[in-house]
């Protein structure tokens, strides 16, 4: 541990010489897929975990929450820390730690072991979530930025939506421990490629005491907020817990750790883009929750048919992702991002009248249209955000946009559940889907409006990172 403040070392771009390092972009996409896969793949195994470790269903739920909470809670402190460290060392440590924790989780003899392994894995996962867009950004020339950013921006959400299907297959054939082991080969492949392809950088600087204090404040606040949203689906009274998030987050925002983050977002005009990312993620998550629940529970569709129907969304997203990046590099990121958001909103609006007379095909083509829009939107929006970040603040901006997306994924189902409950009866599905469509519609004007010219970032404290000045 050293006395350097965050930002005192400039990581800088990976030297690309005369060639773009698409292999490293592929590593960013692979690790984004693996990290997001872990957000949902364990859900299908909770009952088996509870039986295998002889614990209650509530205790087994911490196999999921133990990963998700540190991932989201640590994103902002990790972003501030990574702005002052070298990328290769951070990537190798985070990937190795993630793989090791997967192995430890698979080998769990009791629940406390499993929860501890998942908490540690979530901390390493937070580092990966922040590093991946930065790695893609720095591995290619600026004119290819959107194409590179579309790789992790597309593969990450694909990991989230395919997690339950992959987890179900593993559970049926290999048991619940395979759900944790499946990620290890991908991590080892990423380690080998990164070790050979990335230039040596002299080691990793550990977080200082201020970074640890920021992690405690942000972590406790975000954890309280996420727990409130997660538990509110069973009992709305849990929303009161969200009030506990206010004091630590306010204290952090007003202190030397939070002011630079807020300053960067204000100076670069990225608050609207972050809100758009949150809105689209919430709309997607709400839609996915309502459609899957309706088809299987209310419409009597089998689990297999439900799974195949909702896979229309990631299929459309996977097809459109590379196209969106290529178009953005040619035509500009903003118009492509807006077009993608509009297609997503159109697909979700067409889903609102969902009724018992609809066939799975009727649902699937609308999901595919929304997926095409998300694929077109992901890379260009990420390029729009990361391209506006000061060079020495890319990890900070990357962490903030990942936090916005993660909060959207959590907020969407919670809001859809509330809307369904308030509308009640046959109107609940319509209310939940209308909420999802409204969230997607909100993103369109937020992305369409041109932000003001980036201003120099002013730091207000002497121990904060140096200000980034741009012409």
């Amino acid at each position: 541990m050293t006395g350097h403040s965050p930002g005192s070392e400039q990581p800088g771009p990976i030297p690309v010489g005369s060639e773009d390092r698409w292999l490293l972009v592929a590593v960013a996409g692979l690790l984004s897929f693996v990290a997001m896969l872990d957000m949902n793949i364990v859900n299908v195994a909770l009952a088996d975990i509870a039986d295998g470790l002889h614990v209650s269903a509530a205790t087994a739920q911490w196999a999921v929450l133990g990963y998700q909470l540190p991932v989201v809670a640590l994103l902002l402190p990790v972003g501030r820390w990574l702005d002052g460290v070298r990328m290769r060392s951070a990537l190798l440590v985070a990937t190795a730690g993630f793989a090791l924790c997967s192995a430890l989780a698979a080998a769990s003899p009791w629940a406390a072991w499993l929860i501890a392994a998942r908490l540690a894995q979530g901390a390493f996962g937070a580092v990966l979530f922040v590093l991946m867009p930065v790695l893609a950004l720095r591995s290619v020339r600026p004119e290819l930025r959107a194409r590179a950013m579309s790789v992790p921006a597309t593969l990450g959400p694909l990991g989230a939506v395919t997690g339950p299907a992959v987890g179900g297959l593993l559970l049926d054939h290999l048991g619940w421990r395979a759900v944790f082991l499946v990620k290890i080969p991908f991590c080892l492949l990423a380690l080998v490629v990164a070790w050979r392809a990335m230039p040596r950088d002299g080691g990793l600087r550990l977080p200082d005491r201020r970074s640890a204090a920021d992690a405690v404040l942000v972590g406790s606040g975000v954890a309280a907020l996420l727990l409130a949203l997660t538990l509110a689906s069973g009992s709305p009274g849990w929303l009161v817990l969200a009030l506990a998030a206010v004091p630590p987050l306010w204290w952090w925002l007003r202190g030397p750790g939070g002011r630079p983050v807020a300053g960067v977002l204000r100076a670069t005009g990225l608050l609207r883009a972050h809100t758009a990312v949150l809105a689209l993620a919430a709309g997607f998550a709400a839609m996915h929750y309502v459609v899957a629940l309706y088809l299987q529970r209310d419409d009597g569709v089998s689990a297999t048919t439900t799974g195949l129907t909702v896979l229309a969304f990631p299929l459309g997203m996977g097809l459109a992702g590379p196209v969106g990046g290529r178009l953005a590099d040619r035509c500009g990121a903003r118009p492509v991002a807006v077009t993608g958001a509009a297609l997503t909103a159109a697909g979700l609006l067409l889903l609102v009248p969902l009724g018992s007379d609809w066939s799975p095909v009727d649902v699937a083509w609308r999901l595919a249209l929304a997926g095409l829009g998300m694929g077109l939107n992901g890379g260009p929006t990420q390029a729009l955000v990361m391209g506006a970040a000061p060079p020495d603040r890319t990890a900070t901006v990357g962490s903030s946009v990942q936090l916005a997306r993660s909060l959207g994924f959590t907020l969407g189902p919670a809001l859809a559940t509330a809307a369904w409950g308030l509308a009640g009866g046959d109107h609940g599905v319509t209310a939940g889907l209308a909420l999802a469509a409204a969230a997607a519609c909100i993103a369109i004007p937020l992305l369409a409006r041109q932000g003001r010219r980036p201003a120099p970032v002013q730091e207000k404290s002497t121990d904060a990172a140096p200000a980034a000045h741009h012409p």
Side-chain angles (χ1 to χ4, degrees):
M1 187 177 301
T2 71
H4 296 295
S5 63
S8 59
E9 302 172 22
Q10 296 304 320
I14 297 172
V16 297
S18 59
E19 295 184 359
D20 300 297
R21 298 198 175 187
W22 288 103
L23 194 58
L24 293 181
V25 176
V27 168
L30 176 65
L31 290 176
S32 294
F33 180 87
V34 170
M36 284 297 289
L37 181 76
D38 221 356
M39 297 290 279
N40 286 331
I41 193 173
V42 182
N43 286 321
V44 296
L46 291 179
D48 290 69
I49 291 173
D51 291 340
L53 297 180
H54 309 292
V55 295
S56 66
T59 301
Q61 180 70 23
W62 279 94
V64 175
L65 291 176
Y67 177 75
Q68 292 177 343
L69 289 178
V71 162
V72 180
L74 295 177
L75 282 172
L76 290 177
V78 163
R80 285 280 293 155
W81 169 61
L82 287 175
D83 273 328
V85 303
R86 303 294 178 176
M87 181 177 292
R88 181 179 185 267
S89 298
L91 179 62
L92 293 176
V93 170
T95 306
F98 191 92
L100 176 61
C101 290
S102 290
L104 291 173
S108 300
W110 52 78
W113 177 307
L114 175 60
I115 294 170
R118 293 292 282 168
L119 288 168
Q121 189 171 26
F124 289 117
V127 179
L128 292 180
F129 273 112
V130 177
L131 279 176
M132 293 311 99
V134 180
L135 178 61
L137 177 75
R138 294 177 179 172
S139 297
V140 298
R141 291 164 289 165
E143 57 267 29
L144 299 176
R145 177 178 292 152
R147 202 174 309 179
M149 298 299 293
S150 70
V151 175
T154 301
L155 289 180
L158 283 179
V161 297
T162 57
V166 174
L169 289 173
L170 292 171
L171 190 66
D172 288 341
H173 295 91
L174 298 173
W176 67 266
R177 297 183 189 273
V179 169
F180 299 105
L181 292 174
V182 68
K183 295 154 287 188
I184 295 178
F186 298 105
C187 292
L188 294 178
L189 176 61
L191 278 173
V192 171
V193 174
W195 180 274
R196 299 185 62 179
M198 297 179 73
R200 296 185 180 275
D201 55 18
L204 184 65
R205 177 180 59 80
L206 296 177
D208 56 19
R209 283 179 296 180
R210 195 190 69 191
S211 297
D214 288 345
V216 171
L217 290 174
V218 178
S220 58
V222 174
L225 178 61
L226 289 180
L227 281 174
L229 293 175
T230 302
L231 298 174
S233 60
S235 174
W238 280 106
L239 287 175
V240 177
L241 182 60
L243 296 176
V246 175
L249 290 177
W250 178 258
W251 193 1
W252 170 79
L253 191 62
R254 303 296 294 176
R259 285 199 304 267
V261 177
V264 168
L265 297 184
R266 284 196 300 266
T268 53
L270 289 177
L271 288 175
R272 284 193 300 274
H274 280 63
T275 306
V277 168
L278 188 152
L280 281 172
F284 155 70
M287 173 277 298
H288 190 271
Y289 171 80
V290 172
V291 169
L293 189 61
Y294 172 79
L295 288 177
Q296 194 166 355
R297 193 183 75 178
D298 294 348
D299 207 30
V301 177
S302 68
T304 300
T305 302
T306 298
L308 291 174
T309 301
V310 298
L311 279 177
F313 187 97
L315 178 62
M317 187 175 182
L319 291 173
V323 177
R326 191 175 294 271
L327 286 175
D329 284 330
R330 185 174 299 176
C331 309
R334 189 177 301 278
V336 179
V338 172
T339 301
L343 284 176
T344 299
L348 297 186
L349 285 169
L350 290 170
L351 273 171
V352 172
L354 176 64
S356 58
D357 56 332
W358 286 26
S359 70
V361 174
D362 293 327
V363 179
W365 75 259
R366 291 168 169 84
L367 291 177
L369 177 62
L372 287 170
M374 285 290 279
L376 285 177
N377 173 271
T381 299
Q382 194 85 11
L384 199 67
V385 172
M386 298 299 290
D392 60 345
R393 293 292 184 273
T394 52
T396 291
V397 173
S399 68
S400 62
V401 76
Q402 292 286 16
L403 178 60
R405 183 176 289 112
S406 298
L407 288 176
F409 284 146
T410 304
L411 190 61
L415 291 176
T417 300
W420 194 327
L422 289 173
D426 296 335
H427 301 293
V429 175
T430 301
L433 291 175
L435 183 144
C441 289
I442 289 172
I444 300 173
L446 291 172
L447 289 171
R449 185 178 173 187
Q450 182 73 39
R452 63 181 182 273
R453 182 180 176 85
V457 181
Q458 300 294 333
E459 304 282 5
K460 295 185 178 181
S461 64
T462 57
D463 60 345
H469 297 281
H470 295 277

